[in-house]
Amino acid sequence: MAKTRIVTGDRPTGKLHIGHYFGSLKNRVKLQDDYEEYILVADVQALTDNFNNPEKVAKNVREIVMDNLSVGLDPEKATIYLQSMIPETAELTVFYSNLVTIARLERNPTVKTEIAQKRDIFGESVTYGFLGYPVSQAADITVLGGEIVPTGEDQKPLIEQTREIVRKFNSIYGEVLKEPQVLLSENKRIKGLDGNEKMGKSLGNAIYLSDSEEEIRKKVMTAITDPARIKKDDLGNPDVCMVAYYHNLFNKEDYEQACKECRAGQRGCVECKKKLIENINKELAPIREKRKYYEEHPEIVDKILKDGTEKARKLAKETMKEVKKAMKIDYFE
Ligand code: SF4
């Protein structure tokens, strides 16, 4: 029996960090056995707010592929492919753009939030490309016949937009496209070392999957702890401490222990941070090792991406044949 198809992906704007690891990558690895998984390296989408910095996007394409492979994505099971090399997506985006209104895009909560966050790039007036990225995302998913899209709560409105476009297309041209379902990811957004709700490169508060042991040590030492705690025997509050927060992600048992000892004033913050550094390194060591192999063999990384793109393009071509037939623009077929 054919496996259900998942389409997911990352924007190549920087290396992936532990926020991505707990938020999506771990789940992605788990899903690869039971689903037919397609992982998009969304370089076209990354250009919507990096149009004036194409080097940044190009430089990060291989990094994203290596991060995915290092955490355990198996190219025999999961297909990693490049968005810009599937021109059928751009074509489908044009057809979809007739099926969605500007007002609907402006009302999309995810787009609204992102535009507000990117005022430094767009000023008061957002580009047509950025406003329309949910439309091209709908094309990304449906051109491959994606049935499931794993996503966090904050990205759900984007998939809802895709579903609306699919319904409209099918109602006008006939039942051609699959309406994708959301698979809500278990993990919420991971906070940064400074306690910020978001972990990110621009915020300087991220732990990268590719960080060395020394980089991790330095970063954890700067993590925010309970500010009211001065001495080791002060009774602490782990609920306001980022070290405790990360203990909870990396080792539940150590988290319980840290909370107990912290509240009772029996644990020093330096000791607590050292334990966390040990746990992070234990988890990231095999990932780092795998990554090193791919860094030393860029030709393997390129081949995986090239083969994956060819495989994805085959699906995209099949979909477009059906789409054009339904839209009666398959003139010389
Ligand atoms: Fe945070 Fe640990 Fe210090 Fe408590 S002992 S404040 S949990 S670092």
Side-chain angles (χ1 to χ4, degrees):
M1 205 175 87
K3 287 179 177 173
T4 305
R5 192 171 297 153
I6 284 182
V7 177
T8 184
D10 308 294
R11 288 159 42 109
T13 52
K15 293 178 179 181
L16 301 183
H17 50 62
I18 61 165
H20 300 110
Y21 181 60
F22 288 107
S24 58
L25 298 177
K26 266 175 92 93
N27 194 34
R28 213 174 267 180
V29 173
K30 221 165 38 181
L31 295 171
Q32 69 179 340
D33 290 321
D34 299 326
Y35 293 87
E36 188 189 6
E37 207 168 24
Y38 280 81
I39 297 159
L40 170 74
V41 182
D43 58 340
V44 178
Q45 196 190 112
L47 283 167
T48 57
D49 52 349
N50 288 281
F51 52 86
N52 52 0
N53 197 357
E55 297 80 12
K56 176 178 159 189
V57 175
K59 191 175 86 135
N60 281 302
V61 165
R62 204 183 269 154
E63 299 290 344
I64 292 290
V65 179
M66 287 194 292
D67 281 332
N68 272 281
L69 295 170
S70 309
V71 298
L73 262 304
D74 177 353
E76 296 293 323
K77 296 178 186 166
T79 306
I80 306 177
Y81 69 106
L82 192 58
Q83 188 181 26
S84 60
M85 291 183 74
I86 313 285
E88 288 75 15
T89 309
E91 207 178 358
L92 191 55
T93 303
V94 173
F95 300 152
Y96 284 175
S97 64
N98 296 321
L99 308 179
V100 59
T101 64
I102 291 166
R104 174 65 182 91
L105 287 169
E106 284 173 337
R107 271 201 319 271
N108 187 309
T110 312
V111 176
K112 255 166 107 173
T113 311
E114 289 178 351
I115 288 175
Q117 285 166 351
K118 292 176 196 292
R119 286 234 186 276
D120 55 327
I121 301 168
F122 297 124
E124 288 309 306
S125 184
V126 71
T127 61
Y128 164 65
F130 189 83
L131 185 65
Y133 95 77
V135 184
S136 77
Q137 196 176 67
D140 285 324
I141 298 164
T142 52
V143 85
L144 291 203
E147 296 163 280
I148 301 248
V149 183
T151 191
E153 191 68 48
D154 56 340
Q155 300 284 309
K156 241 172 97 183
L158 292 175
I159 312 307
E160 194 40 56
Q161 184 108 57
T162 298
R163 289 162 56 84
E164 274 177 39
I165 292 172
V166 167
R167 287 197 292 268
K168 188 135 190 207
F169 183 100
N170 286 348
S171 73
I172 298 171
Y173 304 112
E175 289 291 323
V176 172
L177 303 168
K178 285 184 183 147
E179 195 175 323
Q181 306 294 321
V182 167
L183 180 69
L184 264 190
S185 43
E186 306 156 22
N187 282 297
K188 53 182 173 26
R189 195 184 275 269
I190 306 300
K191 292 182 189 175
L193 285 157
D194 55 357
N196 193 305
E197 285 304 316
K198 200 178 165 213
M199 181 176 271
K201 190 180 178 187
S202 54
L203 299 162
N205 62 2
I207 295 175
Y208 293 95
L209 295 173
S210 52
D211 277 349
S212 66
E213 285 193 21
E214 183 52 19
E215 281 166 324
I216 286 171
R217 191 190 66 77
K218 278 193 192 149
K219 286 182 179 180
V220 171
M221 282 304 176
T222 67
I224 298 290
T225 56
D226 176 1
R229 204 161 182 253
I230 314 289
K231 300 189 293 329
K232 180 179 168 177
D233 52 3
D234 286 341
L235 306 188
N237 178 9
D239 297 342
V240 296
C241 170
M242 291 315 296
V243 178
Y245 175 86
Y246 292 127
H247 268 305
N248 193 22
L249 293 173
F250 283 93
N251 189 316
K252 299 265 182 234
E253 245 174 66
D254 283 338
Y255 167 69
E256 305 288 340
Q257 191 66 20
C259 289
K260 210 169 107 194
E261 291 178 12
C262 175
R263 289 188 207 282
Q266 292 168 341
R267 175 184 280 231
C269 290
V270 172
E271 178 196 341
C272 198
K273 285 179 172 177
K274 280 188 183 157
K275 187 71 200 164
L276 177 62
I277 293 166
E278 195 186 307
N279 285 340
I280 296 179
N281 279 322
K282 211 185 281 171
E283 180 97 17
L284 297 194
I287 296 174
R288 215 181 277 135
E289 203 177 309
K290 240 180 169 179
R291 201 177 203 282
K292 191 165 170 278
Y293 169 79
Y294 287 114
E295 280 167 2
E296 287 166 359
H297 297 88
E299 71 290 352
I300 296 180
V301 179
D302 288 354
K303 176 147 179 25
I304 289 170
L305 187 59
K306 210 167 151 251
D307 290 353
T309 305
E310 268 169 29
K311 189 175 162 197
R313 187 147 190 225
K314 232 184 237 169
L315 286 182
K317 281 183 178 170
E318 284 165 21
T319 304
M320 286 315 287
K321 222 171 158 186
E322 294 303 310
V323 162
K324 286 185 176 175
K325 194 170 153 207
M327 293 179 74
K328 315 214 179 307
I329 51 172
D330 58 336
Y331 304 115
F332 306 113
E333 291 295 319

